[in-house]
Amino acid sequence: MIKTLRFWIMLLISFTMIGILSITLFSGYYVTKQNLINNSLEINRVYSMKLAQLSEEVFGGMQSNLQIKASEMSAEIDNPEKLSEKLADLISSSKNFNSLSIVDREGVVLATSPEIGIVGKKLATEGPTEALRERKPLISKPYKAATGRLLILVSTPLWSEKNEYLGFLSGTIYLQQDNIIHDILDEHFSTDGSYVWVVDTSGMLIYHPDAKRIGETISENEVNLKIQRHESGAQQVTNSEGKKFLAGYTYIKSSKWGVVSQTPFEASIKPLSGMVYKMLLYAFPFVVFFFLLTIILTEKLSSPLRKLAMLSARLKESGGQIECNDIPTWYFEAKQLNATIHEYAQSQQQKVEDYKERSYTDPLTGLKNRRYGEEITTKWIMEKKQFSVIMIDIDHFKAVNDKYGHHIGDEVLKFLSGKMNEIVRDDDVCIRLGGEEFVVLLAETNIQEAMIIAERLRTNVASMLCPTNDYMTISSGVGSYHNHNETIEDFFNRVDKALYQAKMEGRNKVVQSEG
């Protein structure tokens, strides 16, 4: 059973409405999801950067405080009681350190505040050893102290008035106890499960909300690996428990740490949960309205055409012997009109293609003509493509015409055209400019490749008998168009000069143009 136009219009409109609604829902969901992810990544990136800046400023201030007090401590290096008093004053005025110590150049502890039981002992742990060796302000890597604590040492050297090294003044941060790092990072601005962690250059956790994890090495973590390469940025990451997070991370140059702020992936896209339902709810009245409107308009559009189709059938059956009532329409009977236009369009299109092909083709050689060459070079220039040109002239062609006649001259032109077609590639174009002048347009070809092709054509032509039953030669100029500030006219003039040079230097030669 042949379906009516009304049926097909209704089917098309229904599919269109469903398709548009589906695409709208999908694109809205996808775009919103990507925006939420990107926003979360950017927020965490910026937050980690701000925390890194704050941490850097805090640690810079800590080192500055130690350096300011260093001269006072150097002056009292032989008075342990005075040193203890000054350390007590310093630690009470600054809440940045868990403890302060003065160590002499042999590594022996002279004074601490508060008293932690190491005065008089020689320190051989990593932080003090590094401070004694480097003799400059530094922030140590996390290490186990003599007291068994995991800590970071911030130190500055002590020098006498005679510039003799006396030891160092240091402040310690106990990583597994309340400290300045906890104060800065402990409470994330977001309450959706986001949190911050800090890792040092070896991949050890310096800070984590779960205190049990401080001191743990996470060398395989994707974000940690990027921090080890001194990178900063944001990305999606999966933690050791298989949970997805959106993380922003920043590398701190001064301490060589990385600050990471991350948000659970599910928390970031949580606003999507009710979006599709709301979109459907808001769209439903419009869908119903447009569907009803479609039914009405479809009937009005299809009714005249249906009457015309029935009239056409009756006319065919009766041989046109019936009265044709006036049927108000805006168009002809669809099937006949479509078939007529289709056939006419096909015939016209074929004619256009034939005319176009003839207008681009040299009738003698079958090669493309100058007009086509101008269009293809203009196209390549607009697309900013590199291309090369071989400009060819048959040596002593006038003598061929004079001696053998124009008929044989035409055969010589066809002979050269065939040789050109043999050496070119699919994207290359062979063109007859006129007379005995030819051009080969070489797409995506540099000057070296073009010279090889031109030389191959020259030797191929010179080695074969031509229609005069004799050998013929050609001269060629070769150029590459790569400077888009050069006009096409200047470019072809440049190649033509190379061709002229080839002829002046004895013909049967390929010359590369300058430029």
Side-chain angles (χ1 to χ4, degrees):
M1 179 179 178
I2 299 176
K3 303 296 184 182
T4 64
L5 178 63
R6 183 175 182 273
F7 169 84
W8 289 115
I9 292 177
M10 287 296 299
L11 184 64
L12 176 62
I13 296 297
S14 298
F15 271 114
T16 302
M17 291 175 66
I18 293 171
I20 291 174
L21 183 61
S22 300
I23 291 171
T24 301
L25 290 173
F26 174 79
S27 59
Y29 178 88
Y30 179 80
V31 170
T32 304
K33 180 180 179 180
Q34 287 302 118
N35 285 337
L36 289 172
I37 291 173
N38 292 337
N39 287 341
S40 183
L41 287 171
E42 182 62 13
I43 288 170
N44 279 301
R45 185 191 69 81
V46 172
Y47 190 59
S48 70
M49 182 179 67
K50 294 295 184 183
L51 290 178
Q53 291 174 348
L54 179 59
S55 300
E56 199 160 22
E57 290 173 2
V58 169
F59 276 92
M62 293 162 69
Q63 286 186 313
S64 296
N65 287 340
L66 293 180
Q67 290 171 10
I68 290 170
K69 295 294 182 179
S71 58
E72 296 181 22
M73 301 300 177
S74 298
E76 303 292 344
I77 195 70
D78 296 322
N79 191 337
E81 292 183 3
K82 280 286 186 181
L83 291 177
S84 298
E85 290 176 7
K86 289 184 178 294
L87 290 179
D89 291 340
L90 179 57
I91 201 167
S92 63
S93 63
S94 172
K95 304 299 182 181
N96 294 334
F97 299 107
N98 293 99
S99 67
L100 292 170
S101 301
I102 293 180
V103 180
D104 69 12
R105 59 189 172 194
E106 302 299 327
V108 176
V109 179
L110 301 178
T112 64
S113 181
E115 176 56 43
I116 53 177
I118 60 172
V119 174
K121 294 183 179 180
K122 185 173 182 178
L123 301 179
T125 48
E126 183 178 345
T129 301
E130 183 182 11
L132 292 170
R133 181 179 66 251
E134 297 294 335
R135 297 187 178 185
K136 64 181 181 180
L138 57 81
I139 301 173
S140 74
K141 298 178 182 178
Y143 69 96
K144 283 280 187 178
T147 58
R149 296 185 178 95
L150 182 64
L151 54 80
I152 292 171
L153 188 76
V154 181
S155 64
T156 189
L158 299 176
W159 301 93
S160 69
E161 293 181 354
K162 297 180 179 180
N163 204 29
E164 295 176 340
Y165 181 68
L166 303 177
F168 63 85
L169 167 63
S170 65
T172 54
I173 300 172
Y174 301 156
L175 295 178
Q176 293 169 322
Q177 298 179 25
D178 289 338
N179 56 57
I180 186 61
I181 301 176
H182 287 211
D183 295 340
I184 297 172
L185 307 175
D186 192 38
E187 188 173 349
H188 199 282
F189 76 94
S190 177
T191 58
D192 57 2
S194 301
Y195 62 91
V196 176
W197 49 276
V198 182
V199 67
D200 77 345
T201 187
S202 66
M204 180 187 292
L205 284 171
I206 296 173
Y207 170 77
H208 194 279
D210 183 359
K212 295 178 181 178
R213 297 196 61 185
I214 295 175
E216 178 184 333
T217 299
I218 54 167
S219 55
E220 298 302 318
N221 184 282
E222 295 176 32
V223 169
N224 174 59
L225 293 175
K226 291 193 174 183
I227 290 173
Q228 304 314 307
R229 297 195 294 268
H230 302 177
E231 295 178 11
S232 300
Q235 70 170 69
Q236 183 174 316
V237 66
T238 303
N239 70 1
S240 58
E241 298 176 354
K243 296 179 180 179
K244 293 182 179 180
F245 285 83
L246 300 175
Y249 52 94
T250 301
Y251 174 73
I252 306 175
K253 292 182 180 179
S254 61
S255 60
K256 299 181 181 179
W257 296 350
V259 177
V260 183
S261 173
Q262 61 185 33
T263 301
F265 182 86
E266 294 301 325
S268 297
I269 63 171
K270 188 176 180 180
L272 285 171
S273 57
M275 188 199 73
V276 174
Y277 171 77
K278 289 182 180 179
M279 290 183 68
L280 283 171
L281 186 63
Y282 295 149
F284 182 75
F286 295 96
V287 172
V288 173
F289 170 77
F290 282 110
F291 192 80
L292 295 175
L293 184 62
T294 298
I295 295 174
I296 297 171
L297 293 177
T298 299
E299 178 61 28
K300 288 187 175 294
L301 288 169
S302 63
S303 178
L305 186 58
R306 184 170 61 252
K307 292 177 182 178
L308 282 171
M310 293 174 66
L311 176 61
S312 176
R314 290 199 302 272
L315 284 170
K316 183 178 180 181
E317 292 173 358
S318 64
Q321 301 301 313
I322 64 170
E323 182 180 356
C324 296
N325 297 324
D326 185 21
I327 300 174
T329 64
W330 310 317
Y331 40 84
F332 225 73
E333 198 278 312
K335 182 178 179 180
Q336 294 180 1
L337 181 60
N338 182 64
T340 302
I341 293 176
H342 185 69
E343 292 173 2
Y344 178 76
Q346 282 187 329
S347 64
Q348 290 299 106
Q349 181 66 27
Q350 188 60 48
K351 289 179 182 178
V352 169
E353 292 296 329
D354 291 342
Y355 288 141
K356 187 175 181 180
E357 182 63 25
R358 286 198 292 271
S359 72
Y360 284 153
T361 304
D362 175 59
L364 176 64
T365 62
L367 301 180
K368 299 298 182 183
N369 59 19
R370 181 189 296 269
R371 179 183 174 190
Y372 183 83
E374 291 173 351
E375 290 193 12
I376 198 69
T377 52
T378 300
K379 177 185 175 185
W380 287 353
I381 290 171
M382 290 178 65
E383 294 174 352
K384 296 187 182 297
K385 285 186 177 180
Q386 180 187 10
F387 63 91
S388 295
V389 167
I390 304 173
M391 193 172 287
I392 304 163
D393 190 273
I394 300 175
D395 296 333
H396 305 295
F397 182 73
K398 185 177 182 301
V400 173
N401 280 332
D402 293 341
K403 183 176 181 180
Y404 300 99
H406 288 284
H407 174 69
I408 296 300
D410 289 346
E411 293 301 315
V412 170
L413 295 176
K414 293 178 184 178
F415 168 79
L416 176 58
S417 301
K419 293 301 177 184
M420 291 168 63
N421 282 324
E422 288 176 5
I423 61 99
V424 296
R425 303 157 301 185
D426 292 341
D427 294 333
D428 301 332
V429 182
C430 295
I431 294 171
R432 184 188 177 199
L433 295 178
E436 72 272 25
E437 295 182 355
F438 295 81
V439 165
V440 182
L441 301 178
L442 303 170
E444 300 291 346
T445 305
N446 59 37
I447 189 65
Q448 291 80 14
E449 295 170 335
M451 287 292 292
I452 292 171
I453 294 172
E455 184 62 29
R456 186 186 305 144
L457 175 62
R458 185 194 66 78
T459 56
N460 193 7
V461 170
S463 65
M464 300 292 290
L465 288 173
C466 73
T468 64
N469 202 30
D470 199 353
Y471 294 97
M472 62 175 279
T473 62
I474 59 173
S475 299
S476 301
V478 182
S480 178
Y481 187 84
H482 49 79
N483 180 7
H484 293 280
N485 293 324
E486 182 181 26
T487 66
I488 193 64
E489 290 80 12
D490 291 342
F491 170 63
F492 272 98
N493 288 337
R494 173 161 61 85
V495 180
D496 189 58
K497 288 180 182 178
L499 171 60
Y500 180 79
Q501 182 182 343
K503 299 183 76 67
M504 291 298 99
E505 292 179 0
R507 296 183 173 84
N508 191 23
K509 188 172 184 180
V510 177
V511 173
Q512 177 180 327
S513 68
E514 298 179 359

